[in-house]
Amino acid sequence: THLMVLSEKSKVCNGMIISHLRRTGAAAGGDEQFKCAGPTAFFKVSNVITSTDVPNHGSATSHVPELVLNGFGTRLGHRVGRFLGSLFPHNAQFQGRQVATFHNQRDYIFVRHHRYIFEEGKEDFKEKEDSKEKKEKSDENAEDSGDESNDEEKPLQKKSKKTKKKTKTRLQELGPRFTMKLKWIQEGTFDTQFGEFEWFHKRKEMDTTRR
């Protein structure tokens, strides 16, 4: 179970808090029910485009999408990647042909939602033209006959080759699309007073320019 809290400014989403809640085996209810919950992370959200504003968008179905995590190679990246992966069930329904992508680049996480389709190739016969020209000059014939050397040309040879077309993949974006940037990650549930931070963004030390 996850709890997601979205913040907005001028009716545009600009932040998201995600808290992972899981029950303990011995807990039956009450205050001890979510004792071992966590972690909690805060992401800054930008460049939000809803599904209706995506050009040539498709309609998402209720199928569980496949998950693609790209660029989460560091120690912190593994932590964040597993955290984001826990948002979706791990029994993807492949008949829906939907995929959710989290692409990490320069500490920005780009979120996309697509539907894919495969176009299988068909066997086709293709004629391949092979042309070879050979020129031979003999001094003996030139001296005897006094004529210019003759050029011997080999006729074109056509060979029918059986080739197989490549399988093509087409994508249709379903939306929404947005960009996230991790600001902090905290152990346990959201606690501003006594919470223990695993990592938080230090702007002056971590932000670098592209120059």
Side-chain angles (χ1 to χ4, degrees), residues 4-203:
M4 302 179 67
V5 180
L6 303 179
S7 61
E8 59 89 18
K9 182 178 181 182
S10 301
K11 296 183 179 181
V12 178
C13 180
N14 60 0
M16 177 169 51
I17 296 177
I18 306 176
S19 183
H20 178 60
L21 308 177
R22 62 181 183 271
R23 299 193 179 196
T24 58
D31 297 337
E32 298 291 328
Q33 187 172 0
F34 299 108
K35 184 177 180 180
C36 295
T40 302
F42 172 69
F43 296 91
K44 181 181 178 182
V45 181
S46 59
N47 302 328
V48 179
I49 300 179
T50 59
S51 300
T52 55
D53 294 334
V54 174
N56 300 324
H57 67 89
S59 298
T61 60
S62 59
H63 295 89
V64 178
E66 303 171 50
L67 189 61
V68 176
L69 298 172
N70 186 27
F72 297 91
T74 61
R75 183 178 180 181
L76 178 63
H78 284 291
R79 176 67 161 162
V80 176
R82 288 175 59 88
F83 179 65
L84 295 175
S86 65
L87 293 173
F88 298 87
H90 291 173
N91 54 344
Q93 298 174 346
F94 299 99
Q95 61 270 22
R97 295 181 286 107
Q98 295 183 147
V99 56
T101 304
F102 293 89
H103 175 73
N104 180 30
Q105 185 174 355
R106 295 179 64 91
D107 294 336
Y108 286 91
I109 303 173
F110 301 91
V111 184
R112 298 293 185 268
H113 187 202
H114 291 90
R115 177 183 289 116
Y116 61 87
I117 186 173
F118 293 112
E119 292 182 351
E120 295 183 357
K122 298 181 180 179
E123 292 183 352
D124 188 17
F125 289 95
K126 183 179 179 182
E127 292 184 352
K128 187 177 180 181
E129 296 182 359
D130 296 327
S131 61
K132 294 181 180 179
E133 296 181 0
K134 293 182 179 179
K135 296 181 180 180
E136 297 181 354
K137 295 181 180 180
S138 58
D139 296 334
E140 296 179 358
N141 295 334
E143 292 177 357
D144 296 340
S145 59
D147 297 330
E148 295 180 354
S149 61
N150 296 327
D151 296 338
E152 297 181 358
E153 297 182 355
K154 198 172 184 179
L156 298 177
Q157 297 179 354
K158 294 184 178 181
K159 296 181 180 179
S160 60
K161 238 182 181 182
K162 191 176 182 181
T163 60
K164 190 174 183 180
K165 295 181 180 178
K166 294 182 179 180
T167 302
K168 296 182 180 180
T169 307
R170 292 192 301 169
L171 293 176
Q172 183 184 27
E173 190 169 0
L174 304 178
R177 68 167 78 158
F178 54 93
T179 306
M180 303 190 305
K181 187 172 184 179
L182 180 66
K183 289 300 182 181
W184 51 260
I185 185 169
Q186 185 184 69
E187 282 190 5
T189 54
F190 180 68
D191 189 355
T192 56
Q193 293 184 352
F194 305 104
E196 182 179 354
F197 288 89
E198 296 183 15
W199 181 90
F200 64 92
H201 179 74
K202 299 178 182 178
R203 189 177 65 176

